[in-house]
PDB file of all heavy atoms in Angstrom:
ATOM      1  N   PRO T  88     -11.575  10.147   2.003  1.00  0.00           N
ATOM      2  CA  PRO T  88     -11.329   8.706   2.138  1.00  0.00           C
ATOM      3  C   PRO T  88     -12.392   8.007   2.989  1.00  0.00           C
ATOM      4  O   PRO T  88     -12.774   6.865   2.692  1.00  0.00           O
ATOM      5  CB  PRO T  88      -9.952   8.649   2.808  1.00  0.00           C
ATOM      6  CG  PRO T  88      -9.304   9.938   2.491  1.00  0.00           C
ATOM      7  CD  PRO T  88     -10.388  10.952   2.376  1.00  0.00           C
ATOM      8  N   ASP T  89     -12.856   8.684   4.040  1.00  0.00           N
ATOM      9  CA  ASP T  89     -13.785   8.012   4.961  1.00  0.00           C
ATOM     10  C   ASP T  89     -15.161   7.761   4.341  1.00  0.00           C
ATOM     11  O   ASP T  89     -15.939   6.977   4.865  1.00  0.00           O
ATOM     12  CB  ASP T  89     -13.925   8.816   6.253  1.00  0.00           C
ATOM     13  CG  ASP T  89     -14.369  10.245   5.980  1.00  0.00           C
ATOM     14  OD1 ASP T  89     -13.596  10.989   5.353  1.00  0.00           O
ATOM     15  OD2 ASP T  89     -15.506  10.588   6.359  1.00  0.00           O
ATOM     16  N   GLU T  90     -15.471   8.416   3.231  1.00  0.00           N
ATOM     17  CA  GLU T  90     -16.765   8.186   2.572  1.00  0.00           C
ATOM     18  C   GLU T  90     -16.761   6.905   1.729  1.00  0.00           C
ATOM     19  O   GLU T  90     -17.818   6.380   1.389  1.00  0.00           O
ATOM     20  CB  GLU T  90     -17.070   9.317   1.586  1.00  0.00           C
ATOM     21  CG  GLU T  90     -17.349  10.655   2.192  1.00  0.00           C
ATOM     22  CD  GLU T  90     -17.543  11.668   1.074  1.00  0.00           C
ATOM     23  OE1 GLU T  90     -16.550  11.962   0.367  1.00  0.00           O
ATOM     24  OE2 GLU T  90     -18.676  12.129   0.891  1.00  0.00           O
ATOM     25  N   ILE T  91     -15.586   6.454   1.364  1.00  0.00           N
ATOM     26  CA  ILE T  91     -15.495   5.363   0.373  1.00  0.00           C
ATOM     27  C   ILE T  91     -15.860   4.034   1.033  1.00  0.00           C
ATOM     28  O   ILE T  91     -15.294   3.670   2.074  1.00  0.00           O
ATOM     29  CB  ILE T  91     -14.080   5.306  -0.233  1.00  0.00           C
ATOM     30  CG1 ILE T  91     -13.831   6.579  -1.037  1.00  0.00           C
ATOM     31  CG2 ILE T  91     -13.901   4.074  -1.124  1.00  0.00           C
ATOM     32  CD1 ILE T  91     -12.389   6.862  -1.294  1.00  0.00           C
ATOM     33  N   ASP T  92     -16.814   3.349   0.461  1.00  0.00           N
ATOM     34  CA  ASP T  92     -17.152   2.027   1.004  1.00  0.00           C
ATOM     35  C   ASP T  92     -16.881   0.914  -0.004  1.00  0.00           C
ATOM     36  O   ASP T  92     -17.178  -0.244   0.255  1.00  0.00           O
ATOM     37  CB  ASP T  92     -18.577   1.965   1.557  1.00  0.00           C
ATOM     38  CG  ASP T  92     -19.624   2.381   0.547  1.00  0.00           C
ATOM     39  OD1 ASP T  92     -19.271   2.611  -0.614  1.00  0.00           O
ATOM     40  OD2 ASP T  92     -20.806   2.460   0.926  1.00  0.00           O
ATOM     41  N   PHE T  93     -16.303   1.274  -1.168  1.00  0.00           N
ATOM     42  CA  PHE T  93     -15.826   0.234  -2.082  1.00  0.00           C
ATOM     43  C   PHE T  93     -14.707   0.799  -2.941  1.00  0.00           C
ATOM     44  O   PHE T  93     -14.813   1.916  -3.452  1.00  0.00           O
ATOM     45  CB  PHE T  93     -16.942  -0.322  -2.973  1.00  0.00           C
ATOM     46  CG  PHE T  93     -16.845  -1.819  -3.122  1.00  0.00           C
ATOM     47  CD1 PHE T  93     -17.699  -2.656  -2.423  1.00  0.00           C
ATOM     48  CD2 PHE T  93     -15.873  -2.389  -3.924  1.00  0.00           C
ATOM     49  CE1 PHE T  93     -17.591  -4.031  -2.512  1.00  0.00           C
ATOM     50  CE2 PHE T  93     -15.753  -3.768  -4.026  1.00  0.00           C
ATOM     51  CZ  PHE T  93     -16.616  -4.592  -3.318  1.00  0.00           C
ATOM     52  N   LEU T  94     -13.642   0.031  -3.058  1.00  0.00           N
ATOM     53  CA  LEU T  94     -12.473   0.463  -3.835  1.00  0.00           C
ATOM     54  C   LEU T  94     -12.188  -0.593  -4.908  1.00  0.00           C
ATOM     55  O   LEU T  94     -12.014  -1.775  -4.589  1.00  0.00           O
ATOM     56  CB  LEU T  94     -11.279   0.599  -2.874  1.00  0.00           C
ATOM     57  CG  LEU T  94      -9.992   1.265  -3.361  1.00  0.00           C
ATOM     58  CD1 LEU T  94      -9.171   1.702  -2.146  1.00  0.00           C
ATOM     59  CD2 LEU T  94      -9.154   0.380  -4.236  1.00  0.00           C
ATOM     60  N   LEU T  95     -12.192  -0.155  -6.150  1.00  0.00           N
ATOM     61  CA  LEU T  95     -11.899  -1.047  -7.281  1.00  0.00           C
ATOM     62  C   LEU T  95     -10.591  -0.589  -7.918  1.00  0.00           C
ATOM     63  O   LEU T  95     -10.406   0.609  -8.158  1.00  0.00           O
ATOM     64  CB  LEU T  95     -12.993  -0.964  -8.344  1.00  0.00           C
ATOM     65  CG  LEU T  95     -14.423  -1.300  -7.934  1.00  0.00           C
ATOM     66  CD1 LEU T  95     -15.390  -0.928  -9.070  1.00  0.00           C
ATOM     67  CD2 LEU T  95     -14.539  -2.782  -7.619  1.00  0.00           C
ATOM     68  N   LEU T  96      -9.711  -1.528  -8.190  1.00  0.00           N
ATOM     69  CA  LEU T  96      -8.465  -1.192  -8.890  1.00  0.00           C
ATOM     70  C   LEU T  96      -8.362  -2.027 -10.151  1.00  0.00           C
ATOM     71  O   LEU T  96      -8.295  -3.255 -10.092  1.00  0.00           O
ATOM     72  CB  LEU T  96      -7.233  -1.458  -8.006  1.00  0.00           C
ATOM     73  CG  LEU T  96      -5.889  -1.307  -8.736  1.00  0.00           C
ATOM     74  CD1 LEU T  96      -5.634   0.139  -9.168  1.00  0.00           C
ATOM     75  CD2 LEU T  96      -4.736  -1.808  -7.871  1.00  0.00           C
ATOM     76  N   CYS T  97      -8.340  -1.344 -11.285  1.00  0.00           N
ATOM     77  CA  CYS T  97      -8.127  -2.015 -12.570  1.00  0.00           C
ATOM     78  C   CYS T  97      -6.645  -1.910 -12.917  1.00  0.00           C
ATOM     79  O   CYS T  97      -6.146  -0.803 -13.146  1.00  0.00           O
ATOM     80  CB  CYS T  97      -8.962  -1.340 -13.660  1.00  0.00           C
ATOM     81  SG  CYS T  97      -8.684  -2.028 -15.303  1.00  0.00           S
ATOM     82  N   THR T  98      -5.959  -3.032 -12.933  1.00  0.00           N
ATOM     83  CA  THR T  98      -4.547  -3.029 -13.337  1.00  0.00           C
ATOM     84  C   THR T  98      -4.120  -4.417 -13.786  1.00  0.00           C
ATOM     85  O   THR T  98      -4.677  -5.414 -13.337  1.00  0.00           O
ATOM     86  CB  THR T  98      -3.616  -2.539 -12.202  1.00  0.00           C
ATOM     87  OG1 THR T  98      -2.309  -2.327 -12.734  1.00  0.00           O
ATOM     88  CG2 THR T  98      -3.542  -3.538 -11.053  1.00  0.00           C
ATOM     89  N   GLU T  99      -3.139  -4.444 -14.657  1.00  0.00           N
ATOM     90  CA  GLU T  99      -2.460  -5.688 -15.024  1.00  0.00           C
ATOM     91  C   GLU T  99      -1.053  -5.699 -14.449  1.00  0.00           C
ATOM     92  O   GLU T  99      -0.265  -6.582 -14.779  1.00  0.00           O
ATOM     93  CB  GLU T  99      -2.409  -5.810 -16.548  1.00  0.00           C
ATOM     94  CG  GLU T  99      -3.788  -5.869 -17.154  1.00  0.00           C
ATOM     95  CD  GLU T  99      -3.735  -6.014 -18.651  1.00  0.00           C
ATOM     96  OE1 GLU T  99      -3.182  -5.106 -19.299  1.00  0.00           O
ATOM     97  OE2 GLU T  99      -4.227  -7.021 -19.163  1.00  0.00           O
ATOM     98  N   SER T 100      -0.756  -4.715 -13.633  1.00  0.00           N
ATOM     99  CA  SER T 100       0.583  -4.557 -13.053  1.00  0.00           C
ATOM    100  C   SER T 100       0.468  -4.477 -11.534  1.00  0.00           C
ATOM    101  O   SER T 100       0.827  -3.462 -10.927  1.00  0.00           O
ATOM    102  CB  SER T 100       1.237  -3.280 -13.580  1.00  0.00           C
ATOM    103  OG  SER T 100       1.179  -3.219 -14.983  1.00  0.00           O
ATOM    104  N   PRO T 101      -0.029  -5.542 -10.872  1.00  0.00           N
ATOM    105  CA  PRO T 101      -0.151  -5.485  -9.412  1.00  0.00           C
ATOM    106  C   PRO T 101       1.227  -5.485  -8.757  1.00  0.00           C
ATOM    107  O   PRO T 101       2.210  -5.922  -9.367  1.00  0.00           O
ATOM    108  CB  PRO T 101      -0.919  -6.780  -9.086  1.00  0.00           C
ATOM    109  CG  PRO T 101      -0.581  -7.713 -10.199  1.00  0.00           C
ATOM    110  CD  PRO T 101      -0.430  -6.849 -11.430  1.00  0.00           C
ATOM    111  N   ASP T 102       1.289  -5.009  -7.515  1.00  0.00           N
ATOM    112  CA  ASP T 102       2.559  -5.042  -6.785  1.00  0.00           C
ATOM    113  C   ASP T 102       3.024  -6.478  -6.582  1.00  0.00           C
ATOM    114  O   ASP T 102       4.212  -6.783  -6.679  1.00  0.00           O
ATOM    115  CB  ASP T 102       2.383  -4.381  -5.416  1.00  0.00           C
ATOM    116  CG  ASP T 102       2.438  -2.859  -5.499  1.00  0.00           C
ATOM    117  OD1 ASP T 102       2.394  -2.323  -6.616  1.00  0.00           O
ATOM    118  OD2 ASP T 102       2.519  -2.214  -4.433  1.00  0.00           O
ATOM    119  N   TYR T 103       2.073  -7.358  -6.246  1.00  0.00           N
ATOM    120  CA  TYR T 103       2.386  -8.757  -5.930  1.00  0.00           C
ATOM    121  C   TYR T 103       1.347  -9.666  -6.584  1.00  0.00           C
ATOM    122  O   TYR T 103       0.262  -9.224  -6.936  1.00  0.00           O
ATOM    123  CB  TYR T 103       2.317  -8.985  -4.407  1.00  0.00           C
ATOM    124  CG  TYR T 103       3.140  -8.004  -3.610  1.00  0.00           C
ATOM    125  CD1 TYR T 103       2.520  -6.979  -2.889  1.00  0.00           C
ATOM    126  CD2 TYR T 103       4.528  -8.094  -3.573  1.00  0.00           C
ATOM    127  CE1 TYR T 103       3.269  -6.073  -2.148  1.00  0.00           C
ATOM    128  CE2 TYR T 103       5.281  -7.188  -2.835  1.00  0.00           C
ATOM    129  CZ  TYR T 103       4.646  -6.176  -2.127  1.00  0.00           C
ATOM    130  OH  TYR T 103       5.391  -5.284  -1.417  1.00  0.00           O
ATOM    131  N   PHE T 104       1.688 -10.977  -6.678  1.00  0.00           N
ATOM    132  CA  PHE T 104       0.643 -11.944  -7.027  1.00  0.00           C
ATOM    133  C   PHE T 104      -0.460 -11.872  -5.958  1.00  0.00           C
ATOM    134  O   PHE T 104      -1.637 -11.942  -6.259  1.00  0.00           O
ATOM    135  CB  PHE T 104       1.202 -13.369  -7.063  1.00  0.00           C
ATOM    136  CG  PHE T 104       1.895 -13.720  -8.348  1.00  0.00           C
ATOM    137  CD1 PHE T 104       3.190 -14.190  -8.350  1.00  0.00           C
ATOM    138  CD2 PHE T 104       1.236 -13.588  -9.553  1.00  0.00           C
ATOM    139  CE1 PHE T 104       3.824 -14.528  -9.530  1.00  0.00           C
ATOM    140  CE2 PHE T 104       1.855 -13.927 -10.744  1.00  0.00           C
ATOM    141  CZ  PHE T 104       3.153 -14.395 -10.727  1.00  0.00           C
ATOM    142  N   LEU T 105      -0.052 -11.838  -4.718  1.00  0.00           N
ATOM    143  CA  LEU T 105      -0.966 -11.629  -3.615  1.00  0.00           C
ATOM    144  C   LEU T 105      -0.203 -10.890  -2.535  1.00  0.00           C
ATOM    145  O   LEU T 105       1.008 -11.061  -2.434  1.00  0.00           O
ATOM    146  CB  LEU T 105      -1.537 -12.968  -3.095  1.00  0.00           C
ATOM    147  CG  LEU T 105      -0.552 -14.003  -2.513  1.00  0.00           C
ATOM    148  CD1 LEU T 105      -1.259 -14.756  -1.402  1.00  0.00           C
ATOM    149  CD2 LEU T 105      -0.090 -14.986  -3.589  1.00  0.00           C
ATOM    150  N   PRO T 106      -0.857 -10.045  -1.777  1.00  0.00           N
ATOM    151  CA  PRO T 106      -2.278  -9.703  -1.781  1.00  0.00           C
ATOM    152  C   PRO T 106      -2.634  -8.753  -2.920  1.00  0.00           C
ATOM    153  O   PRO T 106      -1.741  -8.210  -3.572  1.00  0.00           O
ATOM    154  CB  PRO T 106      -2.422  -8.984  -0.429  1.00  0.00           C
ATOM    155  CG  PRO T 106      -1.095  -8.304  -0.259  1.00  0.00           C
ATOM    156  CD  PRO T 106      -0.093  -9.275  -0.785  1.00  0.00           C
ATOM    157  N   PRO T 107      -3.937  -8.536  -3.117  1.00  0.00           N
ATOM    158  CA  PRO T 107      -4.358  -7.565  -4.138  1.00  0.00           C
ATOM    159  C   PRO T 107      -3.843  -6.162  -3.808  1.00  0.00           C
ATOM    160  O   PRO T 107      -3.825  -5.767  -2.639  1.00  0.00           O
ATOM    161  CB  PRO T 107      -5.895  -7.590  -4.052  1.00  0.00           C
ATOM    162  CG  PRO T 107      -6.224  -8.871  -3.361  1.00  0.00           C
ATOM    163  CD  PRO T 107      -5.081  -9.161  -2.436  1.00  0.00           C
ATOM    164  N   SER T 108      -3.451  -5.444  -4.822  1.00  0.00           N
ATOM    165  CA  SER T 108      -2.975  -4.071  -4.598  1.00  0.00           C
ATOM    166  C   SER T 108      -4.073  -3.190  -4.016  1.00  0.00           C
ATOM    167  O   SER T 108      -3.789  -2.235  -3.278  1.00  0.00           O
ATOM    168  CB  SER T 108      -2.464  -3.476  -5.911  1.00  0.00           C
ATOM    169  OG  SER T 108      -1.365  -4.210  -6.388  1.00  0.00           O
ATOM    170  N   ALA T 109      -5.333  -3.500  -4.327  1.00  0.00           N
ATOM    171  CA  ALA T 109      -6.442  -2.693  -3.789  1.00  0.00           C
ATOM    172  C   ALA T 109      -6.435  -2.702  -2.271  1.00  0.00           C
ATOM    173  O   ALA T 109      -6.784  -1.700  -1.632  1.00  0.00           O
ATOM    174  CB  ALA T 109      -7.782  -3.224  -4.323  1.00  0.00           C
ATOM    175  N   CYS T 110      -6.026  -3.834  -1.664  1.00  0.00           N
ATOM    176  CA  CYS T 110      -5.973  -3.914  -0.195  1.00  0.00           C
ATOM    177  C   CYS T 110      -4.857  -3.018   0.338  1.00  0.00           C
ATOM    178  O   CYS T 110      -5.026  -2.325   1.347  1.00  0.00           O
ATOM    179  CB  CYS T 110      -5.766  -5.356   0.247  1.00  0.00           C
ATOM    180  SG  CYS T 110      -7.109  -6.441  -0.274  1.00  0.00           S
ATOM    181  N   LEU T 111      -3.713  -3.024  -0.331  1.00  0.00           N
ATOM    182  CA  LEU T 111      -2.606  -2.157   0.084  1.00  0.00           C
ATOM    183  C   LEU T 111      -3.011  -0.688  -0.032  1.00  0.00           C
ATOM    184  O   LEU T 111      -2.675   0.143   0.811  1.00  0.00           O
ATOM    185  CB  LEU T 111      -1.375  -2.427  -0.792  1.00  0.00           C
ATOM    186  CG  LEU T 111      -0.911  -3.877  -0.895  1.00  0.00           C
ATOM    187  CD1 LEU T 111       0.226  -4.019  -1.891  1.00  0.00           C
ATOM    188  CD2 LEU T 111      -0.475  -4.394   0.465  1.00  0.00           C
ATOM    189  N   ILE T 112      -3.745  -0.383  -1.097  1.00  0.00           N
ATOM    190  CA  ILE T 112      -4.165   1.006  -1.327  1.00  0.00           C
ATOM    191  C   ILE T 112      -5.189   1.443  -0.276  1.00  0.00           C
ATOM    192  O   ILE T 112      -5.168   2.591   0.189  1.00  0.00           O
ATOM    193  CB  ILE T 112      -4.717   1.153  -2.767  1.00  0.00           C
ATOM    194  CG1 ILE T 112      -3.570   0.986  -3.776  1.00  0.00           C
ATOM    195  CG2 ILE T 112      -5.408   2.494  -2.954  1.00  0.00           C
ATOM    196  CD1 ILE T 112      -4.019   0.930  -5.222  1.00  0.00           C
ATOM    197  N   GLN T 113      -6.088   0.537   0.128  1.00  0.00           N
ATOM    198  CA  GLN T 113      -7.054   0.871   1.199  1.00  0.00           C
ATOM    199  C   GLN T 113      -6.302   1.396   2.415  1.00  0.00           C
ATOM    200  O   GLN T 113      -6.679   2.410   3.016  1.00  0.00           O
ATOM    201  CB  GLN T 113      -7.881  -0.382   1.546  1.00  0.00           C
ATOM    202  CG  GLN T 113      -8.768  -0.254   2.781  1.00  0.00           C
ATOM    203  CD  GLN T 113      -8.050  -0.614   4.079  1.00  0.00           C
ATOM    204  OE1 GLN T 113      -7.146  -1.451   4.089  1.00  0.00           O
ATOM    205  NE2 GLN T 113      -8.424   0.059   5.157  1.00  0.00           N
ATOM    206  N   HIS T 114      -5.247   0.691   2.770  1.00  0.00           N
ATOM    207  CA  HIS T 114      -4.478   1.071   3.957  1.00  0.00           C
ATOM    208  C   HIS T 114      -3.766   2.404   3.730  1.00  0.00           C
ATOM    209  O   HIS T 114      -3.803   3.291   4.593  1.00  0.00           O
ATOM    210  CB  HIS T 114      -3.481  -0.047   4.260  1.00  0.00           C
ATOM    211  CG  HIS T 114      -2.593   0.244   5.420  1.00  0.00           C
ATOM    212  ND1 HIS T 114      -3.083   0.433   6.705  1.00  0.00           N
ATOM    213  CD2 HIS T 114      -1.240   0.386   5.502  1.00  0.00           C
ATOM    214  CE1 HIS T 114      -2.074   0.684   7.514  1.00  0.00           C
ATOM    215  NE2 HIS T 114      -0.949   0.666   6.807  1.00  0.00           N
TER     216      HIS T 114
END
Side-chain angles (χ1 to χ4, degrees):
Chain T
D89 56 295
E90 292 176 292
I91 294 161
D92 55 6
F93 221 103
L94 191 161
L95 302 170
L96 172 66
C97 176
T98 191
E99 298 181 299
S100 309
D102 280 11
Y103 308 106
F104 278 125
L105 62 147
S108 297
C110 299
L111 307 175
I112 292 172
Q113 171 273 329
H114 178 62

